[in-house]
Amino acid sequence: MSESTAANAPEARVPTAVDTVAEAWVDTQIALFPEYRVYLGRDGDQSAYSDYSPAGAEAALAAATATLSSLEAAAPVDFLDEVTKRDLTRELQLAIDKSAARFDERDLNVLASPAQGIRDVFDLMPTETDDDWASVAGRLRNVRGAIDGYIDMLRSGIASGTVPAIRQVTEVIEQTRKHAATDGFFGALVARAGDGVTPSVAIDLEAGAVAAREAYAELGRFLADELAPNAGQHDAVGRELYTIASRGFLGASIDFDETYEWGIEELARMVAEQQAIADEILPGASVAEAIAHLEGDPARKLHGTDALKAWMQEKSDEAIRELGGTHFDIPEPVRRLECMIAPTNDGAIYYTPPTEDWSRPGQMWWSVPEGVTEFDTWRELTTVYHEGVPGHHLQNGQAIYNRAELNTWRRNTFVSGHGEGWALYAERLMEQLGYLDDPADRLGMLDGQRMRAARVVLDIGVHLGKPLPDGSRAWTGDDAFDFLRANVNMNDGFVRFEANRYLGWPGQAPSYKIGQRIWEQLRDEAAAREGSAFDIKAWHKRALDIGGVGLDTLRWALTR
């Protein structure tokens, strides 16, 4: 942290017994999951990986159990402690419950499993100096050990009959093929070093890239030869596993049957709202016709990733400049957000938080699919607000800045329903503040909101075997693509990837819209309680100052 930043920061409180347990838990996580060190921007070994084997899972369970015992013995001294104890208990108990349900043994999907995470960490590693590149080379060498441990875990699942669905296995085999190719990610990563490293580091990088490619080739062979013949044939995980998974993504327990019916109603509301705006854009037009009209408008096009990056940065800077001091308190360090083009090509748009010392700022990433060179501003403006300010960047940056009150665990915890729910809340808020007054921009926002509503219906429907919205029969995984295709105005490759993501990552996709629902309920309840005294800027600050917590904890803290 710079001297000026430190001078403006509030004085830190004296750590309590509860804080001590929480800080120790962060240290334990770094020891068990060294990739977390990179995420936090902590000094130390930047090349180590988690132990993804059954032995690693046993060590993680023992640590969670011991920490929960220590936490139970720690007496809260104030409101901050009460929040920490309540939410850390939630996280630790969830880890214990997931272990009992053998989640690790079936942990394979197209987006967020060790198959991707082992590679993803490279995106956050610094590459400015020779020492940085030496750490990259060390991590490349260690990919094989991480992959071997992961294979051992999946093998354990085969033995116990706890396996992922064949659809996920098939898709990940294709991902491993790309990573194993000489022109894949690892070769491109090493090429970025160029002549900017010493000869010895250059040699280590080349050798590490070869080793990492071979490791992913080995993972692909295992998936094809051993896991695929034993994989599950059904996408649905059932109510018991879904309940645990959903609790993890929401930090709350909900009524799935009521939420499914709400999702159907919310989807219908989004469709009607879209149709009304389509008529504004092109009188008498359908939604599809209005979209076609906008896609043909050259004034709403960006050409090339350089133009996309510059436009994202411009819109992000504008939002930070104009919102700071009106509806939000935005501390000076949080006012810096970098918009980036990701080194991958999977189509994802995502955010990574700043490091604790602000040496790495918050970053908004766009992974542009191969061959995509044009971008529609009307479709993507709401994405800038979702990932940046007032979305993820404000939420995460505010928590990290609030180190005087929040311990390290509170500052860096991310619960999907809380974080993604806030980001969707932010999108709607920007509409209410007039930033989406152009009907085209509102249509783009609604396109995303409609997709999120459709995901509630699809995800709960498939994994719990609910009746299809028309009541004709029960959902199956094969219904996911057509249902999503009818509700998302994107190309078939995107739709297929998204559908596969939901089928392999149960409970995550609905957390966005459900989280938004809860955030809006909490705000509206506060406005009703406080009447004319309600101050939305003060409410936003109070809510964000709590840090990342589960939604049940958030509700308790805001209504206490």
Side-chain angles (χ1 to χ4, degrees):
M1 183 180 291
S2 68
E3 289 183 7
S4 60
T5 300
N8 293 330
E11 185 178 347
R13 75 186 193 130
V14 177
T16 66
V18 171
D19 287 327
T20 300
V21 173
E23 292 289 350
W25 177 239
V26 172
D27 292 339
T28 298
Q29 286 184 298
I30 290 173
L32 291 169
F33 313 112
E35 297 93 325
Y36 193 39
R37 181 189 303 279
V38 179
Y39 177 85
L40 293 178
R42 292 271 187 99
D43 292 335
D45 185 0
Q46 301 292 309
S47 65
Y49 272 109
S50 308
D51 180 354
Y52 290 100
S53 74
E58 290 175 8
L61 173 61
T65 303
T67 302
L68 182 58
S69 178
S70 298
L71 185 62
E72 289 170 345
V77 301
D78 57 16
F79 175 70
L80 289 170
D81 269 1
E82 290 173 359
V83 173
T84 297
K85 184 166 184 176
R86 177 178 289 261
D87 210 60
L88 183 52
T89 297
R90 172 198 60 78
E91 179 177 296
L92 295 167
Q93 188 60 56
L94 176 71
I96 293 167
D97 293 346
K98 291 180 79 170
S99 175
R102 297 178 176 269
F103 267 63
D104 286 334
E105 291 183 346
R106 55 180 297 138
D107 191 7
L108 181 84
N109 61 54
V110 301
L111 185 64
S113 64
Q116 297 79 31
I118 290 169
R119 188 223 64 80
D120 289 349
V121 67
F122 287 97
D123 294 348
L124 294 180
M125 294 186 70
T127 54
E128 282 78 31
T129 68
D130 204 60
D131 287 343
D132 290 340
W133 281 109
S135 293
V136 171
R139 186 173 294 283
L140 287 167
R141 290 194 303 272
N142 289 333
V143 167
R144 183 55 184 264
I147 291 288
D148 286 347
Y150 182 41
I151 289 173
D152 287 345
M153 176 61 78
L154 294 174
R155 235 179 226 134
S156 176
I158 294 173
S160 68
T162 310
V163 289
I166 185 61
R167 193 189 306 268
Q168 303 300 314
V169 179
T170 301
E171 293 294 326
V172 176
I173 288 172
E174 179 60 20
Q175 293 178 356
T176 63
R177 185 192 66 77
K178 292 180 179 178
H179 290 329
T182 55
D183 60 349
F185 170 81
F186 297 110
L189 173 65
V190 170
R192 282 169 44 204
D195 297 328
V197 295
T198 58
S200 62
V201 171
I203 291 171
D204 287 346
L205 284 169
E206 290 292 345
V210 171
R213 291 200 303 268
E214 290 176 349
Y216 267 92
E218 178 60 26
L219 176 60
R221 285 190 290 270
F222 162 77
L223 296 177
D225 297 343
E226 295 186 47
L227 186 55
N230 293 285
Q233 298 305 305
H234 301 290
D235 298 290
V237 299
R239 191 173 289 258
E240 181 178 355
L241 289 180
Y242 193 84
T243 297
I244 298 173
S246 174
R247 217 176 77 221
F249 290 119
L250 292 174
S253 298
I254 62 169
D255 182 332
F256 297 122
D257 301 309
E258 184 275 335
T259 303
Y260 181 72
E261 296 302 324
W262 168 79
I264 293 173
E265 294 171 2
E266 184 70 1
L267 178 58
R269 189 170 72 85
M270 295 297 99
V271 171
E273 197 171 346
Q274 268 195 312
Q275 182 55 60
I277 294 176
D279 192 57
E280 284 185 52
I281 294 169
L282 198 64
S286 66
V287 173
E289 289 167 340
I291 288 173
H293 172 74
L294 294 174
E295 289 179 339
D297 184 352
R300 300 180 185 277
K301 291 285 186 188
L302 297 170
H303 300 277
T305 54
D306 287 345
L308 172 64
K309 180 179 177 181
W311 175 81
M312 290 163 60
Q313 192 70 59
E314 175 191 353
K315 293 300 178 182
S316 173
D317 291 346
E318 176 185 81
I320 291 170
R321 184 172 59 252
E322 295 182 3
L323 291 175
T326 56
H327 285 74
F328 299 96
D329 284 318
I330 306 180
E332 191 58 37
V334 185
R335 291 174 180 260
R336 182 184 173 202
L337 172 65
E338 288 185 349
C339 296
M340 311 286 287
I341 302 300
T344 52
N345 305 102
D346 59 20
I349 304 170
Y350 56 97
Y351 169 79
T352 53
T355 52
E356 294 263 296
D357 63 357
W358 304 95
S359 60
R360 185 187 73 217
Q363 295 174 319
M364 184 192 313
W365 297 84
W366 200 307
S367 177
V368 179
E370 293 180 12
V372 175
T373 59
E374 290 188 343
F375 309 91
D376 296 301
T377 57
W378 66 271
R379 193 189 294 274
E380 307 304 350
L381 181 58
T382 193
T383 303
V384 174
Y385 301 143
H386 179 110
E387 303 294 344
V389 170
H392 288 316
H393 179 60
L394 178 60
Q395 183 183 45
N396 284 268
Q398 181 97 352
I400 290 171
Y401 180 76
N402 195 19
R403 62 186 303 125
E405 290 191 343
L406 303 183
N407 57 54
T408 306
W409 180 77
R410 286 274 295 281
R411 294 195 302 272
N412 291 281
T413 294
F414 182 84
V415 180
S416 182
H418 180 280
E420 299 295 354
W422 169 265
L424 286 194
Y425 170 88
E427 290 185 33
R428 273 294 190 180
L429 181 67
M430 290 301 273
E431 178 201 19
Q432 293 158 8
L433 296 179
Y435 283 80
L436 300 174
D437 278 352
D438 184 332
D441 294 335
R442 287 208 312 281
L443 187 64
M445 180 271 294
L446 285 169
D447 197 45
Q449 294 264 333
R450 177 176 177 176
M451 177 180 74
R452 272 55 177 261
R455 295 185 334 188
V456 174
V457 180
L458 185 161
D459 204 83
I460 296 176
V462 169
H463 289 293
L464 270 61
K466 300 285 291 181
L468 287 165
D470 64 8
S472 59
R473 56 178 173 79
W475 276 89
T476 69
D478 292 334
D479 296 312
F481 179 83
D482 289 339
F483 181 79
L484 195 61
R485 189 74 194 85
N487 287 288
V488 176
N489 292 292
M490 301 293 279
N491 64 65
D492 282 357
F494 172 86
V495 173
R496 191 173 303 281
F497 178 85
E498 286 293 293
N500 287 333
R501 165 191 161 189
Y502 312 151
L503 296 174
W505 206 13
Q508 193 272 344
S511 66
Y512 292 58
K513 195 67 176 171
I514 296 169
Q516 178 190 9
R517 183 191 192 190
I518 292 173
W519 271 106
E520 290 175 347
Q521 286 173 344
L522 291 172
R523 178 200 58 197
D524 294 346
E525 289 167 4
R529 273 195 314 272
E530 298 173 24
S532 60
F534 179 70
D535 180 340
I536 193 168
K537 179 181 175 183
W539 187 83
H540 283 149
K541 185 177 188 308
R542 184 156 55 98
L544 293 180
D545 278 349
I546 293 169
V549 294
L551 289 168
D552 277 349
T553 301
L554 179 69
R555 180 179 293 279
W556 176 85
L558 288 176
T559 58
R560 183 172 177 267

